[in-house]
Amino acid sequence: MGHKQSLFEIEWWVISKRSIYLIIALLLFGVLVGALSVYLWIYGNPFEKESRPQAPTGARFISFDGDVRVVRAQTRETVQVNANTQLYPGDIVQTQTDGRARILLADGSTLLVRPNSVVTIRDSRAAEGGQQTHVRVAVERGQINVRTEEQTEKTSNIVETRLTESRLAAQTGASFGVREDNTEDIRVSAGSIETTTRGGEKTVVRAGEYVAINQTGNIARRERLLDVPVPVAPRDLERIFASSSGTSITLRWQKPASGTPAYYRVEVATSPFFVSAGKVIERDQLTNTEYNIGELRPGIYYWRVRAVAPSGQASEWSEPQKFSIVVAQGSGQVVIWDVSVEYVAGNIYLVRGRTQAGNTVRIAGRETLATRDGTFQLQIVVPPATRELNIEAEDSQGYRGQYRFALNGGRGTSDAANRR
């Protein structure tokens, strides 16, 4: 009997140890689960970002310049925009003084965010294979330009501000401005928008119309849209040669295609964003379509112009035109000689001559390069009753010489040699 009692006691101890091991394992598992729960409660799911929808299904940056930032809707983290930055509903896009960004939205429309602007991407999603899209952006400050494409019946594209909510139709181009004095304006260059103001007014703004909203949320003024003046000179990327002390230049532009301006404003700056520190010239109340600047020193410059109507409506700025003033090296003599003009038939002539090797020669809208020995030949067509030709030669440094020659083959004289 004593032998059997011993066996029973040994088996009982084995069972007890297994139970203890199981209890310890359960306690450890409970501690791990509890720790994990506390971590998730405090820090959130670390894999949450990976489960978010990808940018191509919503909104994404097409291009950006300068300082552009995004404030994340979920974390309120501010990130600097780069080539890989994605956008999600609720994100806030901020452009600084030297920043601007172009964004592609879910319905194929594009959003241009101007400098010093704050815009929230409230919604940008597509469903049913792209047949149903919902886009909603909110302008808190600054200016945006929107361009919509074709739309289906299930498409909605809405721009909201503090004072208005506007639904954009298909093929519409419009800009929305929110100023610091709590007034706003809407410009529609193409298509139409349906706008409801905070004051309860509901109206349709069509192509070629401008609407100003006052601080109370009512339409203060509605009038014909004043178009942007067209810059003429200096041309974009034009080089102007000068002495080391600088040169005078004349800014020229065309009147707006629609609207009657009371005056113009022009700006010249060393920055394409026309930041205050980089502005060289600011002129207002100009009634002519040109303005002369004296002694502009060598360097790279940008200029733009806008028109202002008698009512106070200001057009958008023209696109910045870049030009450079370069110090002339050497004599810069570009000459043309031994010119002969041969009649071929009708209004067709064959022009031959000589200039420095490699120069570009332009006559009657056509051009050619001088050969290694400096000779050139061009067959041209001129308008009836033309008595003389203007011939221009330009070297690789941008120096130019312009001359006039008679069509009867006689040798001409210099008209304006070495013009810039």
Side-chain angles (χ1 to χ4, degrees):
M1 288 293 288
H3 180 67
K4 291 183 179 179
Q5 179 70 26
S6 176
L7 288 175
F8 175 77
E9 290 176 357
I10 292 173
E11 286 204 7
W12 183 86
W13 281 107
V14 171
I15 295 171
S16 296
K17 288 180 180 180
R18 288 178 179 175
S19 299
I20 292 172
Y21 293 154
L22 181 60
I23 292 172
I24 293 173
L26 290 174
L27 288 174
L28 290 174
F29 179 75
V31 171
L32 289 174
V33 171
L36 180 61
S37 299
V38 172
Y39 178 88
L40 293 176
W41 179 67
I42 296 175
Y43 298 103
N45 184 0
F47 304 104
E48 181 180 6
K49 290 183 179 180
E50 296 183 3
S51 64
R52 296 171 76 177
Q54 296 300 307
T57 61
R60 63 182 177 86
F61 287 99
I62 301 175
S63 63
F64 62 91
D65 296 302
D67 191 350
V68 182
R69 306 171 190 177
V70 172
V71 180
R72 295 301 185 191
Q74 292 188 350
T75 64
R76 310 311 296 175
E77 175 191 9
T78 300
V79 298
Q80 201 77 25
V81 171
N82 58 46
N84 299 317
T85 302
Q86 299 177 346
L87 280 170
Y88 304 95
D91 285 352
I92 300 173
V93 179
Q94 298 177 337
T95 56
Q96 308 307 307
T97 304
D98 63 343
R100 60 181 173 183
R102 191 178 297 274
I103 300 170
L104 179 66
L105 299 168
D107 62 349
S109 61
T110 54
L111 174 69
L112 176 61
V113 185
R114 299 285 187 175
N116 287 320
S117 299
V118 178
V119 179
T120 302
I121 311 297
R122 295 206 184 282
D123 195 6
S124 180
R125 54 193 168 91
E128 299 181 5
Q131 295 300 309
Q132 181 177 352
T133 57
H134 299 279
V135 169
R136 178 183 286 267
V137 299
V139 187
E140 299 176 31
R141 185 182 74 240
Q143 182 183 356
I144 66 168
N145 292 72
V146 185
R147 169 68 66 173
T148 63
E149 302 296 332
E150 290 291 342
Q151 297 178 348
T152 65
E153 294 182 357
K154 299 180 179 180
T155 295
S156 66
N157 190 306
I158 296 173
V159 175
E160 63 179 72
T161 66
R162 287 172 290 186
L163 301 178
T164 64
E165 181 176 291
S166 302
R167 182 180 295 270
L168 281 72
Q171 301 290 341
T172 293
S175 74
F176 300 83
V178 177
R179 291 187 285 269
E180 293 182 356
D181 62 356
N182 294 324
T183 62
E184 301 178 5
D185 55 42
I186 300 173
R187 299 176 174 87
V188 179
S189 58
S192 64
I193 64 173
E194 184 180 80
T195 298
T196 303
T197 70
R198 192 175 67 181
E201 294 181 78
K202 191 171 184 179
T203 186
V204 175
V205 186
R206 305 186 187 280
E209 290 186 325
Y210 167 89
V211 171
I213 313 296
N214 61 25
Q215 297 173 344
T216 61
N218 294 309
I219 296 177
R221 194 167 66 254
R222 184 179 187 139
E223 59 192 41
R224 186 180 181 185
L225 180 67
L226 184 60
D227 281 347
V228 181
V230 180
V232 175
R235 303 183 306 274
D236 195 26
L237 304 179
E238 182 175 351
R239 291 193 305 169
I240 301 172
F241 289 85
S243 65
S244 58
S245 61
T247 187
S248 63
I249 66 168
T250 300
L251 306 177
R252 294 187 178 88
W253 57 91
Q254 294 178 353
K255 291 182 178 180
S258 65
T260 303
Y263 58 89
Y264 302 94
R265 296 174 183 165
V266 297
E267 292 182 351
V268 180
T270 56
S271 163
F273 301 102
F274 296 86
V275 295
S276 298
K279 286 185 181 179
V280 179
I281 299 291
E282 290 182 88
R283 290 294 182 271
D284 204 350
Q285 305 290 328
L286 298 174
T287 55
N288 295 324
T289 55
E290 63 178 47
Y291 175 71
N292 183 263
I293 304 173
E295 292 303 315
L296 201 58
R297 297 184 63 81
I300 297 175
Y301 298 92
Y302 302 83
W303 77 280
R304 63 182 183 178
V305 59
R306 77 189 310 179
V308 180
S311 64
Q313 176 198 162
S315 74
E316 293 194 39
W317 286 103
S318 64
E319 285 298 314
Q321 304 294 297
K322 179 181 178 180
F323 68 95
S324 57
I325 296 179
V326 182
V327 177
Q329 302 292 334
S331 62
Q333 295 294 320
V334 178
V335 294
I336 302 173
W337 70 94
D338 287 345
V339 174
S340 64
V341 182
E342 179 183 341
Y343 176 75
V344 178
N347 295 325
I348 302 173
Y349 292 84
L350 185 64
V351 182
R352 298 185 179 93
R354 297 175 66 88
T355 184
Q356 289 97 334
N359 283 358
T360 301
V361 180
R362 301 183 183 92
I363 313 172
R366 300 194 63 197
E367 69 178 37
T368 187
L369 288 176
T371 60
R372 291 183 178 180
D373 62 0
T375 60
F376 65 86
Q377 176 177 301
L378 263 180
Q379 182 170 294
I380 61 172
V381 178
V382 300
T386 301
R387 299 299 181 189
E388 58 184 18
L389 293 176
N390 288 319
I391 305 179
E392 179 186 272
E394 180 179 1
D395 67 13
S396 59
Q397 293 185 327
Y399 294 109
R400 298 176 185 175
Q402 290 189 359
Y403 299 81
R404 287 202 305 263
F405 290 90
L407 271 181
N408 59 11
R411 204 170 302 274
T413 58
S414 171
D415 172 35
N418 307 300
R419 294 178 62 178
R420 292 182 294 273

